[in-house]
């Protein structure tokens, strides 16, 4: 069978040799064995092949295995053996994974994925700018601020960068009004101070670390409100619960803000400063007062100083005050550092005293006085503008010609219009314009309108005129009525409240000519609390009309005190009833900047007299950057003003055709004039407003005198704008001879009375002197001295000593003395 066949196959001497099994060992040894076997197979051939000599592995002693072979025994490159030399015996090779030393490998924490350092910066969001995640979440979820503005995109990358020890460049921020400058410096301050919350020794007793200076109390209060809203942020991410929060990174709520303004109680402010206010918002005068007189004010570790609205600070004359503040902060820093170095300070160690204070100066213009302030307050500053990236080489220019190259223009989305109104129609034109603006926004959320006047008296007069004038049944009213009952024209007039009886805290009034509209006033002569309350009420006026059937509108009558920095939400229009007297085009832009803020729309209206018509071209040239000869180029800029016919305004405000709106405007003017003639107090108020307006009109600088000059005004027509039927005679110089004679008599009589009072006073003093220096007074004095000389104290009782006033003893005393001896 096939199963019994045995095959015996002979391959001959050319058959390959069986490889000796190799396990473990060094790779060099394995390579040598492999090559030796290969050579043996190549040298064997059928013609010349001889019996191969197999080396005996037992001819040499076994080599001791090395546990840790050194690198010096490992050849850098294997050398080929000679063809005739016999192969080396196979060595004993130890295992790779035995007899190894034991050691501990530390756990490697995986690195968090980071953004490329050379990638372009994402400036479309706050997180792309590098802002703290907690701040980004708070802005997005709580404050509904999703994207940064142009000035914030330019300033945040530079201000958020951590300065090197002992360094840190200052910054000069220049941008349009309403562009978001407040957040551009508040966010970097909180971003810098927030990581300190994880330190165990940090609390509000650390002192003041950031100071923000504002020129007015209203602006300081507004900055403080924004700061308080930012400091309400969550101290842990929303997706992280309290149980999962890492105790090592736990943040404490120690960042609190404080407000120091004039008119407040200094004792209460000192108590807050003693507890500690890390971020302080203040006005210049009150801050310097506390730096000089409040020893508990811990400002030695101040890391941020912000000068907001620097141009306004210079206008109000705070240059010396700012210099004193800078010197005071430097002095307190040196004293605190010296105390810490000498070990005399009670502060906890670890504070970085070498880090210098960073100063930020915010201004909309680059005037010469602002440049001077920047030169003294800033060190190696960065120039930050709204629509360009920061450049390291940009610094604050040192010459006065820098302003000429700067175009200070209002926002491009702002609609600017002007009305050329004769002087006698100014008042009714204002009423018609306000009625038109209120009517356009009546069906929506309500309108907020700001009207600027040139002086305080004019604000008070127009506020009282609008809120007290009643239209119904007043045509037959006679002038100089004494009582309110006689002045009421009918049953529908309602109760009247005189100005004297009005409560001081009643800031909101109604106007019969403007239905569903509240009238407010604001100027620098009001108390501090009244000013702050008015700004607060006007800002949230649309939220107070919960029970009204339709949204109500609000009108604020104010001076230029409200032209800087105030962020009043939802302002539909700004009306300049009186054009700016000081500041020119810059003040104009600041005024109209109360609307069209943060990318929103708005309207700016200017009421221009016929003699002031050249002001329109003049202000356009200033906003467009200088004088231009080409008329077409001058009117095509974004800063152009559009004219509106006065008849369109009167028709829109009073309704009807030409004859009808003229009659209605005349009726309104007569109602105002009857209100002025009704009481002497009203007449005085109108007269004072007229005189104050003329004084303010005369303060226009000499460069504007060709446009604004009193001799260009018709004073009689201007008096109609103040509801006066004729101009005061003390202004026109038309006083009669009798009046002049009476004034002379009054002057002489007052002089005689003053002289008689002086003579009587001199006579009275002379009589008192004579009475005091008469002989009777000398006699009484001598008698008192004699009595005192004869008395002595014995046993606690005053009694006679027996001596005269010349301390000479009498006869009885001498006899007693002789007998006793």
């Amino acid at each position: 069978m096939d199963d019994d066949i045995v095959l015996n196959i002979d391959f001959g001497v050319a058959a390959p040799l069986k490889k000796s099994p190799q396990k473990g060992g060094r790779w060099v040894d394995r390579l040598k064995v492999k090559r030796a076997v290969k050579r043996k197979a190549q040298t064997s051939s059928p013609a010349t092949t001889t019996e191969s000599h197999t080396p005996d592995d037992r001819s040499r002693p076994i080599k001791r295995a090395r546990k840790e072979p050194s690198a010096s025994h490992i050849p850098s490159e294997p050398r080929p053996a000679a063809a005739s030399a016999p192969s080396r015996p196979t060595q004993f090779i130890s295992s790779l994974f035995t007899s190894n030393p034991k050691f501990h490998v530390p756990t490697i924490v995986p690195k968090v994925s980071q953004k490329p350092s050379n990638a372009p910066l994402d400036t479309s969001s706050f997180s792309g700018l590098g802002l703290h995640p907690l701040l980004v979440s708070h802005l997005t979820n709580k404050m509904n601020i999703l994207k940064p503005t142009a000035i914030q995109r330019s300033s945040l990358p530079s201000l958020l960068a951590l300065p090197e020890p002992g360094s840190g460049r200052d910054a000069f921020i220049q941008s349009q009004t309403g562009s978001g400058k407040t957040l551009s410096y508040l966010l970097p301050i909180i971003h810098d101070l927030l990581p300190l919350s994880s330190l165990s020794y940090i609390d509000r007793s650390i002192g003041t670390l950031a100071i923000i200076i504002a020129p007015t109390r209203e602006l300081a209060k507004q900055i403080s409100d924004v700061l308080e809203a930012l400091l309400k942020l969550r101290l842990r991410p929303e997706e992280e619960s309290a149980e999962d929060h890492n105790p090592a990174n736990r943040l404490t709520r120690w960042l609190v803000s404080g407000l120091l303004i004039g008119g407040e109680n200094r004792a209460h402010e000192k108590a807050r400063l003693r507890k500690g206010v890390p971020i302080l918002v203040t006005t210049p005068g009150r801050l310097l007062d506390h730096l000089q007189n409040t020893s508990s004010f811990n400002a030695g570790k101040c890391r941020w100083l912000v000068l907001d609205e620097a141009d306004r600070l210079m206008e109000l004359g705070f240059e010396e005050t700012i210099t004193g503040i800078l010197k005071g902060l430097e002095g307190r820093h040196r004293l605190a550092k010296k105390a810490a170095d000498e070990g005399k300070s009670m502060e906890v160690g670890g504070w970085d005293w070498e880090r210098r204070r960073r100063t930020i100066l915010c201004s909309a213009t680059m005037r010469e006085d602002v440049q001077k302030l920047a030169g003294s307050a800033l060190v190696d500053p960065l120039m930050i503008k709204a629509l360009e990236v920061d450049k390291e080489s940009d610094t604050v220019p040192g010459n006065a010609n820098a302003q000429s190259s700067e175009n200070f223009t209002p926002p491009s989305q702002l609609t600017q219009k002007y009305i050329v109104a004769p002087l006698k129609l100014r008042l009714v034109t204002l009423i018609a314009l306000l009625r038109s603006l209120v009517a356009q926004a009546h069906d929506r959320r309500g309108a907020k309108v700001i009207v600027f006047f040139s002086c305080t008296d004019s604000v008070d007069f127009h506020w009282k005129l609008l809120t007290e004038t009643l239209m119904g049944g007043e045509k037959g009213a006679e002038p100089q009525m004494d009582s309110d009952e006689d002045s009421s024209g009918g049953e529908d007039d309602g109760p009247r409240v005189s100005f004297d009886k009005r409560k001081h805290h009643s800031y909101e009034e109604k106007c019969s000519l403007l239905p569903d509209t509240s009238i407010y006033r604001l100027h620098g002569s009001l108390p501090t609390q009244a000013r702050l309350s008015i700004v607060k009420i006007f800002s949230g006026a649309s939220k107070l009309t919960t029970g009204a059937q339709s949204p109500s509108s609000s009108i604020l009558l104010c001076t230029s005190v409200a032209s800087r920095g105030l962020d009043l939400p939802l302002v539909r229009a700004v009306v300049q009833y009186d054009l700016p007297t000081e500041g020119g085009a810059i003040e104009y832009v600041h005024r109209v900047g109360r609307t069209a803020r943060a990318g929103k729309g708005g309207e700016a209206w200017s009421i221009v007299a016929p003699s002031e018509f050249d002001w329109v071209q003049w202000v356009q040239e200033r906003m467009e950057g200088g004088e231009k000869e080409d008329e077409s180029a001058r009117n095509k800029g974004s800063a152009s003003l559009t004219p509106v016919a006065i008849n369109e305004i009167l028709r829109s405000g009073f309704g009807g055709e030409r004859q009808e709106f003229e009659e209605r405007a005349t009726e309104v003017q007569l109602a105002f004039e009857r209100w002025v003639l009704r009481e002497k107090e009203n007449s005085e108020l109108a007269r004072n407003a007229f005189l104050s307006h003329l004084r303010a009109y005369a303060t226009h600088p000499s460069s504007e005198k060709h446009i604004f000059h009193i001799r260009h005004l018709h004073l009689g027509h201007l008096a109609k704008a103040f509801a006066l039927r004729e101009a005061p005679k003390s202004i026109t110089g038309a006083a009669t001879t009798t009046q002049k004679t009476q004034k002379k008599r009054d002057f002489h009589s007052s002089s005689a009375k003053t002289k008689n009072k002086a003579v009587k006073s001199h006579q009275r003093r002379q009589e008192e002197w004579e009475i005091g220096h008469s002989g009777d007074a000398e006699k009484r004095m001598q008698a008192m001295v004699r009595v005192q000389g004869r008395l002595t104290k014995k046993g606690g009782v005053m009694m006679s000593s027996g001596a005269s006033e010349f301390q000479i003893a009498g006869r009885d005393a001498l006899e007693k003395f002789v007998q006793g001896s």
Side-chain angles (χ1 to χ4, degrees):
M1 293 181 67
D2 296 339
D3 296 337
D4 297 334
I5 297 175
V6 177
L7 297 179
N8 187 7
I9 302 174
D10 184 10
F11 290 93
V13 295
L17 299 177
K18 184 179 181 181
K19 297 181 181 179
S20 59
Q22 297 288 336
K23 293 183 179 180
R26 297 183 300 171
W27 66 273
V28 178
D29 298 333
R30 294 196 303 272
L31 183 61
K32 289 180 179 179
V33 173
K34 182 178 180 180
R35 288 180 178 178
V37 174
K38 186 176 181 180
R39 283 194 300 268
K40 291 177 182 180
Q42 292 177 355
T43 54
S44 301
S45 60
T48 60
T49 302
T50 59
E51 185 178 358
S52 61
H53 174 72
T54 302
D56 188 4
D57 294 340
R58 294 173 294 179
S59 62
R60 297 181 62 183
I62 299 174
K63 189 176 181 181
R64 184 174 60 186
R66 288 177 292 190
K67 297 181 179 181
E68 296 180 8
S70 60
S72 60
H73 295 159
I74 301 176
S76 61
E77 185 178 354
R79 297 178 181 178
S84 59
S87 62
R88 297 180 61 182
T90 303
Q91 299 178 357
F92 175 80
I93 302 174
S94 63
S95 175
L96 291 175
F97 305 101
T98 59
S99 302
N100 292 324
K102 296 181 179 181
F103 57 91
H104 175 68
V105 180
T107 304
I108 300 177
V109 180
K111 293 184 178 180
V112 181
S113 60
Q114 298 180 356
K115 298 180 180 180
S117 59
N118 57 351
L121 182 64
D122 179 19
T123 60
S124 61
S125 62
F126 287 104
S127 58
L129 293 174
L131 193 63
H132 197 284
L134 295 179
L135 276 172
V136 175
S137 176
H138 184 69
L139 291 173
T140 305
N141 301 329
K142 300 300 181 181
M143 302 183 69
N144 198 23
I145 302 177
L146 305 179
K147 295 182 180 181
T149 61
I151 186 60
Q152 294 165 8
R153 290 196 301 266
S154 299
S155 61
L156 289 181
S158 300
L159 299 180
L160 292 178
L162 293 178
E164 298 178 358
S167 65
R169 297 185 64 179
D170 298 337
F172 187 104
I173 300 178
Q174 181 186 13
S175 68
Q176 290 181 333
T177 179
S179 58
K181 292 195 297 292
T182 303
L183 287 181
S184 66
Y185 59 76
L186 286 182
L187 292 177
I189 291 176
I190 301 177
H191 175 88
D192 177 47
L193 301 182
L194 190 59
L196 298 178
S197 303
S198 60
L199 302 179
S200 59
Y201 65 90
I202 292 291
D203 56 12
R204 61 181 297 183
S205 63
I206 196 69
T208 300
L209 304 182
I211 298 176
I212 303 166
I213 301 177
T216 61
R217 305 172 187 178
E218 291 81 8
L219 180 56
K221 182 63 169 62
Q222 177 179 290
I223 296 173
S224 178
D225 294 340
V226 177
L227 180 58
E228 290 180 357
L230 287 174
L231 294 179
K232 294 179 181 179
L233 78 165
R234 289 173 57 94
L235 297 183
R236 63 170 63 94
E238 294 184 358
E239 63 274 5
E240 183 177 333
S241 61
E243 292 77 9
D244 300 334
H245 192 53
N246 188 2
N249 298 328
R250 181 170 299 167
L251 304 181
T252 58
R253 192 168 292 279
W254 66 282
L255 282 176
V256 297
S257 63
L259 179 64
L260 299 181
I261 57 177
E264 298 292 336
N265 192 330
R266 290 188 73 258
H268 296 169
E269 293 177 349
K270 292 176 66 175
R272 291 197 298 268
L273 293 175
R274 189 179 298 110
K275 293 181 181 179
V277 182
I279 305 179
L280 187 64
V281 184
T282 177
T283 49
R286 183 51 62 95
L287 176 60
L288 182 61
D289 183 15
H290 283 286
L291 281 175
Q292 294 176 345
N293 303 317
T294 305
S295 59
S296 60
F297 184 21
N298 186 3
K301 294 184 287 296
C302 182
R303 302 171 67 165
W304 294 86
L305 177 63
V306 179
L307 302 175
D308 198 3
E309 297 290 344
D311 49 355
R312 185 63 173 171
L313 288 172
M314 294 296 99
E315 288 180 3
L316 297 178
F318 286 121
E319 182 178 359
E320 296 183 359
T321 305
I322 298 298
T323 303
I325 290 173
L326 295 175
K327 293 181 179 179
L329 291 177
E330 291 293 338
R332 294 205 173 221
H333 176 73
R334 288 195 300 268
L335 293 177
K337 182 180 179 182
K338 182 179 179 181
D341 295 340
E342 296 177 355
K344 299 180 181 180
S345 177
M346 301 298 293
E347 305 285 347
V348 180
W351 187 259
D352 184 13
W353 293 100
E354 298 300 328
R355 176 174 174 178
R356 62 175 297 273
R357 183 186 69 246
R358 300 188 70 179
T359 304
I360 302 175
L361 191 145
C362 301
S363 177
T365 58
M366 287 283 295
R367 297 194 313 233
E368 183 178 359
D369 51 358
V370 178
Q371 297 174 20
K372 181 180 179 181
L373 176 63
S376 60
L378 304 182
V379 177
D380 189 21
L382 286 168
M383 184 67 189
I384 301 176
K385 296 183 180 180
L387 298 178
E388 58 184 84
V389 183
D390 302 336
K391 299 179 181 179
E392 292 293 328
S393 60
D394 286 345
T395 56
V396 177
N399 54 5
N401 297 328
Q403 184 181 354
S404 60
S405 61
E406 300 292 337
N407 296 345
F408 184 53
T409 59
S412 58
Q413 73 273 13
L414 176 66
T415 302
Q416 304 179 72
K417 303 177 182 180
Y418 69 94
I419 307 169
V420 180
L423 293 179
K424 61 172 63 177
L425 295 179
R426 280 171 56 86
L427 187 56
V428 293
T429 303
L430 174 64
I431 300 303
L433 178 59
L434 294 179
R435 287 174 59 90
S436 176
L437 293 174
V438 170
Q440 293 174 8
H442 184 70
D443 297 333
R444 292 177 290 182
R445 302 177 58 183
K448 289 184 180 180
V449 182
I450 300 179
V451 184
F452 283 98
F453 295 88
S454 61
C455 54
T456 298
D457 290 336
S458 184
V459 172
D460 290 336
F461 164 73
H462 287 89
W463 183 68
K464 186 180 179 184
L465 179 69
L466 293 178
T467 57
E468 291 192 357
T469 300
L470 300 177
M471 296 299 299
E474 289 187 345
K475 291 184 178 180
E478 296 294 331
Q480 302 297 339
M481 290 185 179
D482 298 331
S483 62
D484 293 337
E485 296 179 356
D486 296 335
S487 63
S488 59
E491 297 178 356
D492 297 334
D493 290 347
R496 290 180 46 84
V497 181
S498 65
F499 191 73
D500 292 337
K501 299 178 182 179
R502 194 185 307 275
K503 296 182 180 179
H504 295 288
H505 62 271
S506 179
Y507 309 127
E508 177 183 358
E509 295 294 342
K510 299 294 182 179
C511 178
S512 60
L513 292 171
L514 303 170
D516 295 331
T517 303
S518 300
I519 310 294
Y520 306 89
R521 60 170 176 167
L522 179 66
H523 53 73
S525 299
L526 294 175
T528 302
Q529 292 298 330
R531 292 163 61 180
L532 298 180
S533 300
I534 290 170
V535 173
K536 182 178 180 181
I537 296 173
F538 181 75
S539 300
S542 60
K543 302 178 182 178
L544 300 178
T545 59
T546 56
Q549 297 179 357
S550 60
S552 78
S553 300
S554 303
I555 297 177
L556 177 65
L557 311 181
C558 62
T559 59
S560 292
V561 71
S563 64
R564 300 295 182 100
L566 290 184
D567 186 12
L568 303 173
L570 304 178
V571 174
R572 170 179 171 80
V574 171
V575 179
Q576 301 201 61
Y577 186 66
D578 296 330
L579 298 178
T581 55
E582 297 181 1
I586 297 176
E587 184 66 20
Y588 168 81
V589 175
H590 279 295
R591 284 185 175 186
V592 301
R594 298 314 98 202
T595 183
R597 301 181 68 85
K600 299 179 181 179
E603 298 179 5
W605 293 82
S606 300
I607 299 180
V608 183
S611 61
E612 302 168 351
F613 180 73
D614 293 339
W615 172 85
V616 178
Q617 295 182 355
W618 180 86
V619 74
Q620 287 180 169
E621 293 172 356
R622 297 306 183 275
M623 290 189 295
E624 291 177 357
E627 302 289 343
K628 294 183 180 180
E629 297 180 358
D630 189 2
E631 184 70 22
S632 61
R634 180 187 296 122
N635 294 331
K636 289 183 179 180
S638 61
S640 61
L641 281 71
T642 305
V644 179
I646 186 174
N647 289 341
E648 295 182 8
I649 300 298
L650 295 177
R651 183 184 298 108
S652 176
F654 297 119
E657 298 299 329
R658 180 180 182 85
Q659 192 69 22
E660 294 179 355
F661 71 72
E662 289 182 356
E663 292 178 356
R664 294 173 183 175
T666 303
E667 185 178 348
V668 171
Q669 178 70 27
L670 293 177
F672 288 153
E673 294 178 4
R674 284 194 294 269
W675 176 85
V676 170
L677 296 174
R678 181 175 300 114
E679 297 180 2
K680 183 179 180 180
E681 179 188 358
N682 299 344
S683 301
E684 289 294 329
L685 193 63
R687 183 178 180 276
N688 292 337
F690 176 82
L691 298 178
S692 297
H693 174 77
L694 288 181
R695 285 192 292 266
Y697 201 87
T699 60
H700 281 277
S702 58
S703 60
E704 303 175 17
K705 287 297 184 182
H706 65 285
I707 302 175
F708 304 97
H709 202 286
I710 294 181
R711 65 168 174 261
H712 298 161
L713 302 177
H714 191 297
L715 298 184
H717 292 181
L718 182 61
K720 296 283 288 186
F722 291 89
L724 296 171
R725 294 185 174 177
E726 59 180 0
K729 295 182 180 180
S730 58
I731 296 299
T732 60
T736 60
T737 306
T738 305
Q739 292 175 341
K740 293 181 180 179
T741 305
Q742 185 64 30
K743 289 183 178 179
K744 291 182 179 180
R745 291 177 181 176
D746 294 341
F747 173 76
H748 289 300
S749 62
S750 61
S751 300
K753 292 180 180 179
T754 304
K755 184 176 180 180
N756 293 335
K757 290 182 180 179
V759 171
K760 291 181 179 179
S761 176
H762 177 72
Q763 292 177 353
R764 189 184 305 108
R765 290 195 300 270
Q766 184 69 21
E767 292 175 357
E768 292 177 354
W769 188 90
E770 291 177 354
I771 293 175
H773 293 76
S774 62
D776 296 338
E778 293 180 358
K779 292 179 181 179
R780 289 194 301 270
M781 184 181 298
Q782 291 177 1
M784 291 299 298
V785 170
R786 290 175 181 176
V787 171
Q788 293 293 332
R790 290 193 297 266
L791 298 178
T792 183
K793 189 173 183 180
K794 292 183 178 181
V797 179
M798 296 297 295
M799 58 185 307
S800 177
S801 61
S804 64
E805 64 270 21
F806 301 104
Q807 298 297 320
I808 300 176
R811 180 176 179 180
D812 297 338
L814 292 177
E815 289 178 354
K816 292 181 180 179
F817 176 78
V818 173
Q819 294 177 359
S821 61

